[in-house]
Structure formats: C-alpha cells, structure tokens
C-alpha cells in the first residue's frame, strides 16, 4: 500500500535529485497527515474517521477514500473550503489544511488500494428500482443510466466521476440527499444535481443499496 | 412531402455560409425527422412486460447486443462504440433515432446504396460505418436478435407511418455558417470533461465509458454521424449527457463541425484509393460534411491507419 510515500522514503537517501523531486511533498507528508493530522491541529487525523485503510466507516457516514482519484479528492477538499459542499464535520478540517497538505494527502489516499468491484454490464437483467436506475436510467426525467458516467459497477471514471461501489449505502444516500436539500452544489457542469433532485426517496435508498452491494474491501493488511 | 421541405430549408441556409459553400444538400439519410416528440408520444413496452419464452429470450439477446456491442457482437465491431452510444436509452429515446420508430419504416429505399433496403440491411449499414466493422450475415443470430428487439420495441406502432420522435430532428444551420473555432470553445466548455480534450473518450477497464468522438476508435468517414447536420441534430437533442436541449442550435452546429473536422477511420467505400473520387461519389451530395475538404491546410479523409 501507499506506494507514493514508500517511494519517497526509499528515494530520499539517494541525493539531491530525489530530494528535489520529493520537494513539493516533503513540505507536507501525506501519510503523516492521514495518520496524525495536519500542521494545524484543527486538521484532525483522517484515519480516525475514514478508517486506518481509508475504507470508510459505513454506519457513521464516513466515506471510503482509498483508491479514489487524487484530483477528485482534492477538488472535494476545496469545495468544502469554499462552501459549495457544506458539511459541519469536514468544512473546518478542509479549511485547516494548506494547499500543499491537500495535494499530499490526496496523492497518498489515491495510491491506497481501492475496493474490488463486481463487474457489471449494461446488458445485465435488472431486478428492483436500484438496478433499474443504474443500468437503464429514468429518461422520462432526464436521468441517464448511472453507469454511463460512473462506469461499470460504479467503479468510477477518470478524475471527475467518483466511484460509488465501495461506499456505504448511508454515505451514498446522504450525498444524493445533500444535492436534493441544496447543501451540495459542487458538481461540474451541474451534471449530477438535477439527477439527484429528480429521484424519489425510495429510489435514493434503492440505488444507494445497489451500488454499495457491488464493492468489496479486501481483508485488512 | 416533408423530405423535400426539410432539404429546402437546409438548402436556403446553406447558400450563406462561406465554409459550406458548394456543398450540395442531398442528404442521404433519407429521413424526414419531425420536431421533438410530444410528451405523450409513442411509448415502447416496458422490459417487465417481456414474455418469458423463446421470443422474450431473443429480444433480451438483442437488447444485450445493442447496449454492449463490444461484448456481445465483438466480431463485427471495428471501433470502441456500442449501438446505444448514438441511440440513447437502449434505443428507446425519442429524437435519438429510436428503434421503435425505425422498425415499422422498412423496407425503404436508401440513396446511400441506391436500392430498397430491408431493416436488416439498414442495421448492417450501422455495423459497417458507425461501428467501423463488418456486416453480420443476414441470417446471423446477431441480426435476428437485434431485429426481434426492434420489433418488440415497436409493439403497437403503425406500420409505414412515420412517428414523431424518429431520427434526430433537423436544426437550422447558423445564419453566418458554422464556425469551427467557436466549436472548439464549445467543446472545451461542454464536452471535454467526458469525451476528453482530444475527443479520445475515456475508458474504465477495457471498454469506453465515454465514447471517442474522433480518431481510430470512433465512427468512420462513411457513417451518418460524419455529416455535420446529422451530428448537430444528435448533439442538440442528446448532449451533454442528461442535459439534452441546453445548447443553442448554433453552438450545436459549431461543435458538430469541430468534431467532424478531425480524422477518423477511412470510408470503407474508398474508390480507387482516391479521396477525391470518394468525395465525388459518396460525399459531395451527402449533407454538410468535410470529407475530402481542406481545413486549416490539412486535407481531411485520409483515415487513421
């Protein structure tokens, strides 16, 4: 795990070049922020809530972060800061992180192993409203198939479309409800908000349960 | 009839733009798209209504091929696309060339190959051009499954009567002509986030989630989507994904022109290895397109191999 800081640790003794390469990150050690917190004490250790492997803590609504794109994670931290994503717990923590710390911790998290995602195809048969939304959409309300943006099984795509598999149903539903309530307004090009707002409460529950069921976290190492 | 009148409108707007000057408007799509389907337009049957018998099974196979062509008809596909990439909502969405509006309209004469085409032949066309692949044999399982799926989707539709929602509704060309430079900006602002900065698409694992818009894994120069007018109509109704209808008509044209001013796989009908001859035979009278045209000093139509 954590190949990035492992590389830095190994590379550092090899002289100037390696030290220069690690320069930006050496000001902020991602792994240290994750396990012990940032230089500002208000930036509490991420692991205390997001779990020692960043697998999240489902029932409490703490999301998994391991293996998610560093660009996406850093964007969320900036969005908490700006308030376009409102959350009483994360906003003060994000505000207490420096730019360098955000970059470092996001890189550390992205390099941690993500969940195993059950392979799905858009051709799969659907049972229930969760799978129906995920694989068929609800186009009468302009809701495309979720997998058309979040990828097969909701594994996530590139730097913009986060994984849904591997998250808890509680967290996924909380996010959909945050868009519905207007407390999360950070989706690029307003691609996601209208979708959440067009869903029924039952659909929010069902589709959250569906994607949560597709991710498996390996045994802790 | 309406085919004539839609050509007439296009022809009029075409007289003005400098870029498109000299392109004769004999659109080979042979379709006469009507404006957006009324909310209470034709409703295809629901998946849950599918009978649990041999017919139902074949329909499901057709659905699978249509939405995951890469997996279920791989041997006939030569690019990274799936049928549903251009026929949204699994071939159900009105104004996205839905299968339920297509099936009851065949056999029909197509100027593209100058003969009366069966529905099977029409689908073979999309395999050869849109999918840059090869036509599955007429008696193949792939085509019978796709036919069964289309037939089932059109349950209750009148035969030979063009339904609202067919094809991609024509939108008027910008007054001053289309503008590739403007299209580039529209692209960067509205499309690159999904289709990539260079139209290369984005994959998850082996397959594309966001399909490539140009380059070697996209549709070829013979596909209907290579016409700027057809692409503009598709984009206006269906893109950005989930937000169809939000671009202005002009921006849809500009961005379609930008997309179709890039290289893509060669037209498989290439005549004597000559772009000029191929343009003359197949592209000169096929809507607004840039095959065999120089853009920024570069001749388009060279293919990607």
């Amino acid at each position: 795990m954590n190949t990035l800081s492992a590389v830095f640790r190994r590379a550092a003794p090899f002289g100037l070049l390696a030290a220069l390469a690690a320069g930006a990150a050496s000001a902020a050690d991602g792994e240290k922020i994750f396990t012990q917190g940032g230089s500002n004490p208000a930036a509490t250790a991420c692991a205390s809530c997001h779990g020692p492997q960043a697998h999240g803590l489902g029932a409490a609504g703490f999301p998994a972060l391991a293996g998610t794109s560093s660009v996406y994670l850093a964007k969320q931290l900036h969005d908490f800061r700006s308030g376009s994503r409102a959350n009483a717990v994360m906003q003060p923590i994000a505000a207490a992180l420096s730019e360098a710390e955000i970059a470092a911790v996001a890189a550390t998290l992205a390099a941690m192993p993500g969940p195993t995602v059950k392979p799905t195809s858009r051709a799969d048969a659907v049972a229930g409203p969760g799978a129906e939304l995920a694989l068929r959409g609800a186009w009468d309300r302009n809701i495309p198939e979720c997998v058309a943006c979040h990828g097969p099984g909701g594994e996530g795509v590139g730097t913009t479309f986060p994984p849904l598999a591997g998250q808890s149903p509680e967290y996924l539903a909380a996010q959909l409800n945050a868009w519905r309530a207007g407390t999360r307004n950070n989706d690029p090009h307003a691609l996601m908000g209208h979708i959440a707002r067009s869903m029924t409460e039952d659909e929010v529950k069902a589709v959250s349960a569906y994607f949560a069921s597709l991710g498996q976290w390996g045994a802790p190492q | 009839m309406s085919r004539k009148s839609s050509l007439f409108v296009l022809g009029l707007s075409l007289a003005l733009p400098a870029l498109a000057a000299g392109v004769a408007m004999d659109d080979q799509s042979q379709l006469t798209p009507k404006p957006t389907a009324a909310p209470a337009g034709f409703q295809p049957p629901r998946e849950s209504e599918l009978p649990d018998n041999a017919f139902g099974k074949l329909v499901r196979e057709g659905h699978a091929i249509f939405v995951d062509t890469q997996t279920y008809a791989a041997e006939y596909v030569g690019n990274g696309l799936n049928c549903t990439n251009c026929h949204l909502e699994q071939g159900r969405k009105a104004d996205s060339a839905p299968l339920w509006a297509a099936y009851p309209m065949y056999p029909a004469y197509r100027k593209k190959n100058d003969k009366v085409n069966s529905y099977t032949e029409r689908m073979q066309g999309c395999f050869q051009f849109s999918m840059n692949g090869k036509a599955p044999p007429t008696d193949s399982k792939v085509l019978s499954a796709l036919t069964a799926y289309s037939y089932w989707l059109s349950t209750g539709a009148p035969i030979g009567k063009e339904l609202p929602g067919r094809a991609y509704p024509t939108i008027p060309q910008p007054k001053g002509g289309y503008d590739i430079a403007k299209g580039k900006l529209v692209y960067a602002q509205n499309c690159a986030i999904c289709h990539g900065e260079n139209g290369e698409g984005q994959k998850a694992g082996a397959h594309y989630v966001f399909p490539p818009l140009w380059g070697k894994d996209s549709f070829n120069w013979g596909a209907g989507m290579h016409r700027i007018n057809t692409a503009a109509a598709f984009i206006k109704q269906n893109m950005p994904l989930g937000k169809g209808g939000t671009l202005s008509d002009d921006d849809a044209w500009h961005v379609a022109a930008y997309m179709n001013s890039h290289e893509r796989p060669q037209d498989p009908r290439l005549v004597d290895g000559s772009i000029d001859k191929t343009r003359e035979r197949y592209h000169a009278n096929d809507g607004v397109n840039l095959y065999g045209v120089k853009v920024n000093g570069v001749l388009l139509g060279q293919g990607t191999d």
Side-chain angles (χ1 to χ4, degrees):
Chain A
M1 69 163 260
N2 203 344
T3 40
L4 202 78
S5 60
V7 166
F8 284 160
R9 267 199 306 271
R10 253 181 280 129
F14 294 115
L16 191 63
L17 205 66
L20 274 180
S26 68
D29 178 339
E31 182 155 13
K32 188 161 168 228
I33 299 165
F34 178 65
T35 53
Q36 297 166 39
S39 53
N40 180 332
T44 342
C46 324
S48 63
C49 289
H50 291 282
Q53 319 253 292
H55 292 178
L57 192 61
F62 303 148
L65 306 174
T68 298
S69 150
S70 62
V71 175
Y72 172 81
L73 293 173
K75 174 183 176 291
Q76 299 309 309
L77 292 168
H78 289 121
D79 294 344
F80 283 126
R81 275 191 187 182
S82 75
S84 65
R85 181 172 177 182
N87 180 265
V89 178
M90 266 316 290
Q91 278 181 287
I93 295 174
L97 291 169
S98 70
E99 284 299 329
E101 285 177 324
I102 287 182
V105 75
T108 296
L109 292 164
M112 293 166 83
T116 308
V117 179
K118 194 176 161 209
T120 61
S121 158
R122 283 165 83 168
D124 291 353
V126 294
E132 171 102 24
L133 271 185
L135 301 174
R136 304 290 189 268
W139 280 91
D140 53 334
R141 287 170 279 160
N142 269 324
I143 303 180
E145 304 81 344
C146 312
V147 297
C149 283
H150 289 281
E155 67 170 76
V157 185
T159 58
T160 308
F161 301 91
L164 305 178
Q167 297 293 12
S168 64
E170 291 86 353
Y171 175 71
L172 295 175
Q175 297 316 301
L176 294 169
N177 286 326
W179 268 299
R180 291 156 64 82
T183 53
R184 186 168 177 175
N185 288 303
N186 65 334
D187 45 325
H189 303 274
L191 288 170
M192 184 60 218
H194 75 95
I195 293 174
R197 285 190 295 276
S198 305
M199 291 167 67
T200 67
E201 268 172 53
D202 286 345
E203 285 174 335
V204 167
K205 279 191 205 129
V207 79
S208 299
Y210 171 80
F211 279 112
S213 76
L214 298 179
Q216 275 291 318
W217 291 97
Q221 298 156 6
Chain B
M1 66 149 271
S2 51
R3 169 168 148 74
K4 256 203 191 112
S5 65
S6 80
L7 292 183
F8 178 63
V9 173
L10 271 168
L12 258 188
S13 57
L14 199 86
L16 302 162
L19 252 175
V23 179
M25 282 304 302
D26 186 6
D27 194 316
Q28 296 181 357
S29 68
Q30 306 290 299
L31 300 181
T32 53
K34 300 282 188 312
T36 310
F42 179 79
Q43 296 294 326
R46 299 156 63 94
E47 210 171 320
S48 54
E49 295 165 29
L50 199 53
D52 194 8
N53 55 19
F55 170 70
K57 188 165 169 282
L58 191 62
V59 169
R60 278 192 191 88
E61 282 174 31
H63 168 268
I65 294 164
F66 198 80
V67 299
D68 192 353
T69 325
Q70 295 290 322
T71 303
Y72 295 100
E75 67 269 45
Y76 303 114
V77 177
N79 62 16
L81 302 189
N82 296 299
C83 306
T84 198
N85 290 162
C86 301
H87 302 278
L88 265 56
E89 195 189 0
Q90 311 108 46
R92 290 169 170 267
K93 188 174 172 294
D95 301 333
S96 189
L99 298 179
W100 48 259
Y103 182 81
M105 296 304 290
Y106 292 83
Y109 173 80
R110 290 191 80 211
K111 197 165 178 209
K112 189 162 188 164
N113 48 18
D114 192 24
K115 62 172 192 172
V116 173
N117 284 220
S118 66
Y119 187 71
T120 303
E121 287 167 315
R122 181 65 191 85
M123 289 192 296
Q124 287 173 325
C126 265
F127 272 102
Q128 285 173 279
F129 303 108
S130 295
M131 308 297 287
N132 192 35
K134 45 182 198 276
T138 311
D139 59 355
S140 62
K141 188 71 179 281
V142 163
L143 287 183
S144 47
L146 284 169
T147 303
Y149 180 50
S150 309
Y151 166 84
W152 174 72
L153 283 176
S154 64
T155 305
I159 291 188
K161 184 171 171 285
E162 187 147 299
L163 289 172
R166 188 176 178 204
Y168 313 116
T170 307
I171 54 169
Q173 195 169 168
K175 289 228 157 46
Y178 61 80
D179 182 332
I180 292 175
K182 275 190 194 147
K184 186 177 179 171
L185 293 177
V186 175
Y187 185 82
Q189 279 162 17
N190 299 284
C191 323
I193 188 173
C194 294
H195 293 286
E197 264 172 61
N198 297 305
E200 73 276 22
Q202 291 193 65
K203 286 183 177 178
H207 294 162
Y208 285 100
V209 174
F210 300 117
L213 302 188
W214 60 87
K216 64 177 177 42
D217 285 343
S218 191
F219 56 89
N220 70 35
W221 278 113
M225 196 64 86
H226 100 290
R227 291 188 299 264
I228 296 171
N229 50 310
T230 301
F234 168 84
I235 291 164
K236 169 77 188 188
Q237 290 299 328
N238 299 295
M239 289 293 135
L241 190 73
K243 304 188 74 175
T246 56
L247 290 182
S248 68
D249 289 359
D250 284 8
D251 281 351
W253 265 88
H254 297 323
V255 77
Y258 174 67
M259 170 173 98
N260 285 339
S261 67
H262 289 88
E263 245 347 303
R264 52 183 67 264
Q266 183 54 272
D267 188 334
R269 300 164 299 182
L270 187 70
V271 181
D272 300 339
S274 156
I275 296 175
D276 274 355
K277 285 187 189 171
T278 311
R279 169 151 191 97
E280 201 177 315
R281 170 105 55 101
Y282 293 116
H283 298 264
N285 297 313
D286 190 17
V288 181
N289 74 81
L290 294 170
Y291 183 89
V293 174
K294 267 194 180 166
V295 172
N296 298 325
V298 180
L299 180 69
L300 290 169
Q302 309 196 39
T304 46
D305 309 318

